Amino acid sequence: MTTNVPVIDAHPTVPGLPKNYLNCSRGFMSWAGTLDHKRIGIMYLIGTLLTFLAGGVFALLVRLHLWEPHGMLFTNEKYNQIFTLHGAFMVFLFVIPAIPGALGNMVLPLMLGAKDVALPRLNLLSFYLWLSGAVLATLAIVLGGFDTGWTFYAPYSLYTNQAVVTIGLAIFLLGFSSIFTGLNFIVTTHKLRAAGLTWFRMPLFVWAIYATAILQVLATPVLGITVLLVAFERLYHIGIFDPRLGGDPVLFEHFFWFYSHPAVYIMVLPAFGIISETVSVHSRKPLFGYKLIAFSSLAIAIISFLVWGHHMFTSGQSTYAMFAFSFLTFFVAIPTAIKEFSWVATIWKGSIALNSPMLYTLAFLIIFAIGGLTGVILGALNVDLHLHDTYFVVAHFHYVMMGSIALAFFAGLHHWWPKMFGVIYDETLAKIACGIIFVGFNITFVPQFIMGSQGMPRRYATYVDEFHGYHQVSTIGAMILGSGVALMVYYLVASLLQRKPAMENQWGGVTLDWQTPTPPPLENFYAPPKVTHEVYDYSTLDLKTLQRPVS
Amino acid sequence: MAAHTHNDGHAHGHADHHGHGELQMGHHHVSSTAMFTNVLMVLLVLTIVTVAVSRFDFGGANMLIAMGIASVKASFVILFFMHLKWDTAINKITFLCSFVFLSLLFIFTLADQATRRLDHDIHVVKTKVDKQWVHPSTLSGK
Amino acid sequence: MSHDGHHSVVIPAPGPEFVPHTVAHHFDTPVQEFQSLKLGFWLFLATEILLFGGLFAAYFYYHDLYPETFREGGRLLSWKLGALNTSVLLASSWTMAMGVRSAQTSQKKKTLIFCGLTVLGAAAFMVVKFFEYKSKHDHGLVIFTELFSGYDEAAKQLPWFKDYDGAMANVPHGHMFFAIYLTMTAIHGIHVLIGAGLILWIMKGTAKGRFHAGYYLPVDLVGLYWHLVDLIWIFLFPLLYLVP
Ligand SMILES: [Cu+2]
């Protein structure tokens, strides 16, 4: 049973008075030099959305090229560069920084009832490190590109005659951007909680961002030293990863995946956090298993450090290590399943409002179930030997990266868009776009599961005729998916121009981020908030006005 | 964390403005000069011990001994010079975590390397099995 | 009270030679500010441990793989210079700890003296390091002028590792020990230089009277950084100079 949110009596925001964080100051420097977490969040949002669109264009080029078995657009070498660009842009410039950088910055201090993050200058530095990383990555394209895949595996990355050092430096900077963001959020969560906001009254988005931050701080430095070593290797040949000089490329893979498996959770945990919020607010129900979800985030963070070798089952790793890594991998499924079941149980018997954030959330729940379960399949040692480096893997991680994380990001974007800008987008177009994206996504990647299980290897510029049909369906799906995203960009930008005012509390949230004016003033709250309710307690919410009585 | 003694008796320029329990840890530990000097002496002596034990061959234990002494020295620096002994619980956990998670990198990476030598036995068996194995299609009623 | 965001908390100066400290606007109390920045810095130190940890993992990995190479390589380093540098760093850690203590007790002059001594320690460390590097350069173990010459594909030779004395001739991949030695000590040396720079910055602030019993946080944090540099060296010394 579904009911729509009653919005008739809700107060629209009054434009003009009093000033909010968007109109409190003007001019380029008021943004470029801002220490306000919300403005930094907006800058991250613009930046990461642009890199997402760039990465999306690279993806469409890849799919178009694969329309014909012998490739339509590029030489094989150029194709290698394009898919590398797609991977590197999406992973390092969009998926990792987008949710913490844009939505986390915007929402986390609001949810904690804080005036800002604990270290605002470091926050701005994080953004500029991200920006320098983005500029360097773009520069690397001009300097000859890079064709190593986003994984930069040695020894190929040591020998290829391309701009690997430049992109390595970019990744080093992006890594420290990510570290400083995580560090900042840990400190903020520990030290800047409002009065009465105990750990178990924190919204689950905060828990998720906190668990992510632990991973960012503890895993990313190893990526930093790894790309430095690759750079040294290329510059003065230290031999640590170079088999010509007695080095072992498998050590590179250990270092790389020590970071990059936890990095999968750096990407997906914030997405989980968003879903925990949207699923509760749009079902008007406290989260089922609040503590379980909170602790499962921490459990995932810790277990994710024990399983990285499942990416190396065909690399020459020892058989014993493979046993251990495969065995441990299955444990990740437990906390992840706890989350999925808790979300579904939250919806059950809820008063579901099918707003666009909820539609994106439901799409996430379906896609993530598939993305997660295919991951368990790949974690099984013997199955992975067959499926390794096939399109099955490609489809699996796109179900997680694009279908789950990007859709959760969209859910969060739609959920907090009215909060951020005080305007509301065209809800009908939003629902249509969500449908198009969901359909297009599945058309793109279901054929890839099938091709992969039949042996279509990933990263190839050409393929045998047997896969022609699958590739064409996949390409058509990608075009549908792309048009859905284009529609989304259109109505979001249009909402900023049309300026249709949003409600003070657009969806009827009860966490602190919805208890401040929309858009929030410069220091978030006019008076220091005191938390007296348990989290997700909708009992006192007036469904008509979506406001809590002032206590 | 309770209040700590101020050896020099300097009052802080501020009082706690709020009653929040978390905010009452306004007293910082000031260590005595003698303690710092003692720690330095211990560290210098342990440096001599490090050099001395490296002269003897304990076989594989040399690495363990050297790393053990280094860890003791490191603990002295962390606990006393870095004041972690008197720091908050969360700061202690934070720094400890870095070593715990670093040890995961060491354990799995080195375990892979060490057990690769054992792989030989598995490959012997596997080669035998591979030789006996026949593709099912060649077995069917042809 | 600072809740209205206009009046910040000010920690008064303990004497005329000091300046008061204004707590950042988004903190309610000085204690909150102190603890936030300190937790942040410990987190940063944790990232440093993991960053160096990768290098240590590489060390152990290749020490396992090529034990003879590491044993022979370690013999070619001067343990005396290594021990000297260890003592210099340990002593400078002591002076730094004393500097922090002096700031905690508002002793401006003593803070300046102890910080100055620490910078001298850093300088001494780098001078010893220079002579060590020079000796490796002269013996063709790490030829710094050839570092960026690239790998000689035809001769299958590394231009920066010539081993004039043939000291590593009988062990496999002799350059491997020196590659790890160079990478670890160079990255550590960069940290020494950064640390010295930070201490100089602290001395500037101390001279202006910014640090005193009410507010000594930056001195404390730079001190922690300097101790971390020492901490890493404590492990580097036996691993490189006394290869077990
Ligand atoms: Cu993984």
Side-chain angles (χ1 to χ4, degrees):
Chain A
M1 133 120 223
T2 58
T3 53
N4 270 314
V5 192
V7 287
I8 306 128
D9 291 66
H11 320 294
T13 46
V14 186
L17 294 165
K19 292 225 165 192
N20 59 50
Y21 80 101
L22 289 169
N23 58 16
C24 65
S25 55
R26 286 183 175 280
F28 177 75
M29 276 319 290
S30 79
W31 281 85
T34 185
L35 296 179
D36 178 27
H37 68 98
K38 300 180 289 300
R39 285 195 168 191
I40 293 173
I42 297 288
M43 295 198 290
Y44 259 117
L45 182 66
I46 296 169
T48 50
L49 276 178
L50 285 177
T51 49
F52 172 69
L53 294 178
V57 169
F58 295 134
L60 291 179
L61 289 175
V62 165
R63 285 310 327 161
L64 270 179
H65 176 79
L66 294 173
W67 181 257
E68 290 299 334
H70 295 289
M72 274 216 326
L73 302 178
F74 312 112
T75 60
N76 294 354
E77 289 72 24
K78 198 80 204 158
Y79 175 85
N80 292 346
Q81 290 191 342
I82 299 284
F83 82 70
T84 301
L85 280 173
H86 165 64
F89 266 61
M90 283 300 199
V91 169
F92 292 113
L93 288 168
F94 170 67
V95 185
I96 289 177
I99 299 181
L103 297 178
N105 252 321
M106 175 62 69
V107 176
L108 183 108
L110 293 177
M111 283 183 160
L112 293 173
K115 288 180 193 162
D116 205 323
V117 291
L119 313 163
R121 275 169 219 284
L122 190 70
N123 201 16
L124 188 64
L125 176 65
S126 291
F127 174 72
Y128 280 113
L129 283 175
W130 179 89
L131 193 63
S132 337
V135 170
L136 267 182
T138 315
L139 199 65
I141 305 176
V142 185
L143 291 175
F146 43 104
D147 61 351
T148 56
W150 76 276
T151 47
F152 301 97
Y153 268 18
Y156 184 71
S157 59
L158 312 180
Y159 304 155
T160 178
N161 187 23
Q162 307 215 354
V164 175
V165 174
T166 314
I167 187 69
L169 186 58
I171 288 169
F172 188 82
L173 296 177
L174 292 169
F176 270 89
S177 163
S178 174
I179 287 173
F180 290 150
T181 302
L183 188 156
N184 219 332
F185 289 165
I186 291 180
V187 179
T188 310
T189 309
H190 272 280
K191 302 295 178 193
L192 261 60
R193 298 195 308 278
L197 188 63
T198 60
W199 280 84
F200 292 115
R201 281 178 175 175
M202 292 194 317
L204 283 167
F205 182 69
V206 178
W207 273 100
I209 291 284
Y210 181 79
T212 308
I214 294 174
L215 293 175
Q216 287 174 304
V217 168
L218 290 176
T220 319
V222 177
L223 175 77
I225 195 69
T226 311
V227 294
L228 271 191
L229 286 174
V230 169
F232 292 166
E233 194 78 82
R234 286 185 68 95
L235 293 173
Y236 62 94
H237 302 275
I238 47 178
I240 287 182
F241 300 139
D242 190 343
R244 289 182 308 194
L245 300 170
D248 186 355
V250 177
L251 185 65
F252 171 88
E253 294 187 26
H254 275 302
F255 281 6
F256 181 80
W257 290 111
F258 179 85
Y259 166 73
S260 290
H261 182 80
V264 172
Y265 294 94
I266 291 176
M267 304 180 221
V268 81
L269 277 172
F272 292 165
I274 290 174
I275 297 304
S276 296
E277 296 303 317
T278 52
V279 99
S280 168
V281 170
H282 298 275
S283 304
R284 274 302 167 274
K285 228 181 115 211
L287 264 157
F288 180 88
Y290 168 89
K291 281 194 181 177
L292 278 177
I293 297 185
F295 284 126
S296 66
S297 289
L298 293 180
I300 287 174
I302 291 163
I303 298 172
S304 70
F305 277 99
L306 306 173
V307 302
W308 76 79
H310 63 214
H311 296 271
M312 302 162 58
F313 286 160
T314 60
S315 304
Q317 197 184 189
S318 105
T319 318
Y320 297 89
M322 292 201 282
F323 292 158
F325 280 127
S326 179
F327 176 72
L328 289 167
T329 298
F330 294 121
F331 285 94
V332 186
I334 298 169
T336 316
I338 286 175
K339 282 178 188 290
E340 178 90 17
F341 288 128
S342 296
W343 292 322
V344 175
T346 304
I347 299 174
W348 188 60
K349 286 196 173 172
S351 169
I352 301 166
L354 285 177
N355 307 310
S356 52
M358 188 59 173
L359 287 184
Y360 279 107
T361 303
L362 293 174
F364 166 93
L365 289 176
I366 297 165
I367 292 174
F368 182 68
I370 300 170
L373 284 173
T374 48
V376 180
I377 294 172
L378 286 169
L381 180 48
N382 45 358
V383 183
D384 185 72
L385 293 181
H386 172 64
L387 294 174
H388 189 91
D389 269 357
T390 67
Y391 266 63
F392 191 92
V393 177
V394 175
H396 154 67
F397 71 70
H398 279 89
Y399 261 74
V400 178
M401 303 272 157
M402 170 69 209
S404 304
I405 300 170
L407 282 197
F409 175 64
F410 297 159
L413 194 59
H414 287 75
H415 185 70
W416 283 300
W417 189 266
K419 185 89 234 168
M420 284 189 237
F421 298 107
V423 298
I424 188 70
Y425 42 82
D426 186 330
E427 183 72 7
T428 318
L429 282 182
K431 287 175 181 171
I432 294 171
C434 179
I436 296 174
I437 290 173
F438 180 75
V439 171
F441 173 81
N442 283 296
I443 295 178
T444 311
F445 292 105
V446 167
Q448 298 195 6
F449 274 127
I450 304 170
M451 282 192 267
S453 66
Q454 295 177 355
M456 170 72 209
R458 71 192 275 201
R459 292 180 171 170
Y460 275 44
T462 58
Y463 52 87
V464 293
D465 291 340
E466 279 81 350
F467 297 122
H468 197 181
Y470 294 126
H471 272 294
Q472 290 198 329
V473 174
S474 185
T475 301
I476 292 168
M479 298 300 148
I480 298 173
L481 175 56
S483 56
V485 172
L487 178 60
M488 186 186 83
V489 172
Y490 161 73
Y491 66 73
L492 285 180
V493 173
S495 79
L496 294 177
L497 302 175
Q498 291 159 354
R499 308 215 60 79
K500 184 182 163 201
M503 309 301 156
E504 272 294 304
N505 186 349
Q506 182 75 27
W507 318 110
V510 289
T511 45
L512 279 179
D513 47 326
W514 297 105
Q515 309 303 316
T516 162
T518 298
L522 185 59
E523 290 195 332
N524 298 343
F525 297 90
Y526 289 129
K530 274 205 172 60
V531 179
T532 50
H533 291 75
E534 291 310 309
V535 68
Y536 306 120
D537 176 4
Y538 295 92
S539 58
T540 55
L541 186 79
D542 183 346
L543 274 185
K544 271 219 157 142
T545 61
L546 295 178
Q547 299 298 316
R548 245 183 192 158
V550 181
S551 55
Chain B
M1 295 285 289
H4 299 295
T5 50
H6 289 257
N7 296 2
D8 292 79
H10 278 256
H12 286 269
H14 61 84
D16 289 336
H17 298 283
H18 295 263
H20 303 248
E22 191 184 62
L23 299 182
Q24 280 172 351
M25 292 180 278
H27 302 276
H28 306 129
H29 182 266
V30 181
S31 306
S32 69
T33 307
M35 191 213 53
F36 283 142
T37 312
N38 290 341
V39 171
L40 177 65
M41 289 306 144
V42 171
L43 290 170
L44 290 175
V45 168
L46 284 175
T47 305
I48 295 169
V49 175
T50 310
V51 176
V53 294
S54 74
R55 303 280 122 153
F56 300 97
D57 185 12
F58 298 104
N62 273 64
M63 177 64 90
L64 287 178
I65 294 168
M67 289 299 95
I69 299 173
S71 303
V72 173
K73 286 171 77 180
S75 311
F76 271 95
V77 171
I78 293 167
L79 289 175
F80 300 105
F81 281 171
M82 297 173 98
H83 269 122
L84 198 62
K85 188 166 184 268
W86 299 276
D87 217 321
T88 57
I90 180 64
N91 289 354
K92 287 178 185 164
I93 294 169
T94 298
F95 204 50
L96 189 67
C97 267
S98 68
F99 293 99
V100 171
F101 283 84
L102 180 60
S103 70
L104 296 176
L105 176 66
F106 282 15
I107 290 169
F108 281 103
T109 308
L110 298 175
D112 166 35
Q113 219 248 54
T115 52
R116 254 184 249 171
R117 294 160 202 159
L118 305 175
D119 265 3
H120 177 72
D121 305 344
I122 292 182
H123 282 294
V124 171
V125 179
K126 198 172 163 282
T127 320
K128 257 188 195 165
V129 174
D130 281 353
K131 273 183 189 155
Q132 290 164 4
W133 187 79
V134 191
H135 194 276
S137 65
T138 59
L139 282 178
S140 61
K142 273 189 184 171
Chain C
M1 300 294 281
S2 61
H3 281 319
D4 51 13
H6 296 294
H7 308 287
S8 296
V9 181
V10 175
I11 303 172
E17 72 271 39
F18 295 107
V19 287
H21 168 68
T22 309
V23 173
H25 72 103
H26 59 293
F27 292 116
D28 291 335
T29 66
V31 183
Q32 195 185 29
E33 181 183 54
F34 180 91
Q35 291 192 343
S36 298
L37 286 155
K38 193 139 183 185
L39 172 58
F41 204 78
W42 276 111
L43 284 161
F44 171 69
L45 293 184
T47 68
E48 287 274 19
I49 295 286
L50 280 144
L51 192 108
F52 267 99
L55 292 173
F56 280 99
Y59 174 94
F60 287 117
Y61 199 85
Y62 289 110
H63 180 275
D64 262 21
L65 212 53
Y66 307 123
E68 309 87 12
T69 309
F70 277 66
R71 203 180 315 119
E72 291 308 311
R75 281 199 192 130
L76 296 179
L77 301 186
S78 160
W79 71 266
K80 284 175 191 158
L81 287 185
L84 174 65
N85 254 352
T86 307
S87 311
V88 166
L89 268 197
L90 289 174
S92 76
S93 246
W94 179 81
T95 54
M96 190 68 228
M98 292 299 291
V100 174
R101 186 179 178 282
S102 311
Q104 282 178 319
T105 51
S106 304
Q107 291 166 286
K108 195 169 165 178
K109 212 176 210 168
K110 269 177 126 182
T111 313
L112 283 173
I113 291 171
F114 280 120
C115 285
L117 285 173
T118 314
V119 174
L120 279 182
F125 181 90
M126 292 314 289
V127 169
V128 173
K129 190 100 268 166
F130 171 78
F131 284 109
E132 220 188 289
Y133 278 169
K134 189 167 180 306
S135 135
K136 299 297 150 294
H137 179 83
D138 294 342
H139 288 90
L141 297 168
V142 181
I143 307 169
F144 285 87
T145 45
E146 296 283 337
L147 267 184
F148 298 99
S149 306
Y151 181 66
D152 189 345
E153 200 77 56
K156 295 217 177 301
Q157 216 189 13
L158 268 178
W160 63 260
F161 181 76
K162 294 264 166 65
D163 188 17
Y164 301 137
D165 310 336
M168 304 290 283
N170 298 322
V171 293
H173 304 297
H175 68 278
M176 194 63 109
F177 175 80
F178 290 95
I180 286 181
Y181 159 78
L182 175 67
T183 310
M184 289 181 109
T185 54
I187 294 183
H188 178 265
I190 289 170
H191 280 73
V192 171
L193 292 177
I194 294 172
L198 288 172
I199 297 168
L200 286 173
W201 171 70
I202 282 299
M203 289 171 72
K204 197 176 148 209
T206 306
K208 285 182 182 164
R210 284 180 52 216
F211 309 127
H212 44 77
Y215 180 70
Y216 59 86
L217 180 68
V219 190
D220 201 10
L221 300 186
V222 169
L224 288 179
Y225 186 84
W226 188 252
H227 296 312
L228 185 93
V229 172
D230 187 20
L231 194 71
I232 289 162
W233 185 260
I234 285 176
F235 286 94
L236 284 182
F237 169 57
L239 287 177
L240 293 175
Y241 295 82
L242 310 164
V243 180

